[in-house]
Amino acid sequence: MQQLIRITTVPIKYEVHSEPARLEMDVSHKSTAPATYSMQQRNARINLRAQNIQMRMDSYEMRKSLGLKNIRDLAADNAEKGRQQIQKLTQEYVQTGKQLARIDQGVDIGQIVQQKALEQPTYYTAFLPNGGIEISWVPAQLDKQYQEGVLDLDWQSKKNIFTYVPGSFSIEITQYPSVNIEYLGTPAYVPPSADPNYEPPAEE
């Protein structure tokens, strides 16, 4: 039996294009410049402050025994001498008054005056100067102050510039699918005389 129909299929054809994601770095001069830094330095220091030994000599007590007194002590001594002198005179006046009160008992005024005139002042022996020199001293001192050194670094780090390129995926169809149906037989004409190649049957 002759096959009258032939069916053929055409498959689809396509192309796949894909690019992975990538990270690109800018390689221009500015971005690839090396890191730099600035440095500031302060050296260590030590400060020394020395004070020599000090000796103090106070000779005031010695000078005071020689009568070389300051104003305060001189005023105090004069006040004390005045008080003692007044006290002595008061005692003498009181004693003289008591003696004069006994005139009725045979006391002679001339004898009293003579006795006062013959009285001698009291003397005493003193070695001058009788005061020493007071000596004091302050020990030597050495003050030390240490300041540490400082080193400051200011870094300017390298800056890299990166650009992210996302991945891509695409499909390109180069041939669409199709189904081809091909008729292999000859056409059937109705009536048969419609066939251009129709030949009438031969007469007997």
Side-chain angles (χ1 to χ4, degrees), residues 61-81:
E61 292 298 329
M62 181 181 66
R63 292 184 285 109
K64 181 179 179 180
S65 64
L66 296 175
L68 303 176
K69 304 177 182 180
N70 57 29
I71 296 177
R72 183 182 63 183
D73 290 343
L74 186 61
D77 289 348
N78 290 335
E80 180 63 21
K81 289 180 180 179

Side-chain angles (χ1 to χ4, degrees), residues 77-93 121:
D77 289 348
N78 290 335
E80 180 63 21
K81 289 180 180 179
R83 186 187 66 80
Q84 293 178 358
Q85 185 67 21
I86 293 173
Q87 185 178 3
K88 180 180 179 182
L89 292 176
T90 302
Q91 291 177 354
E92 290 178 357
Y93 291 155

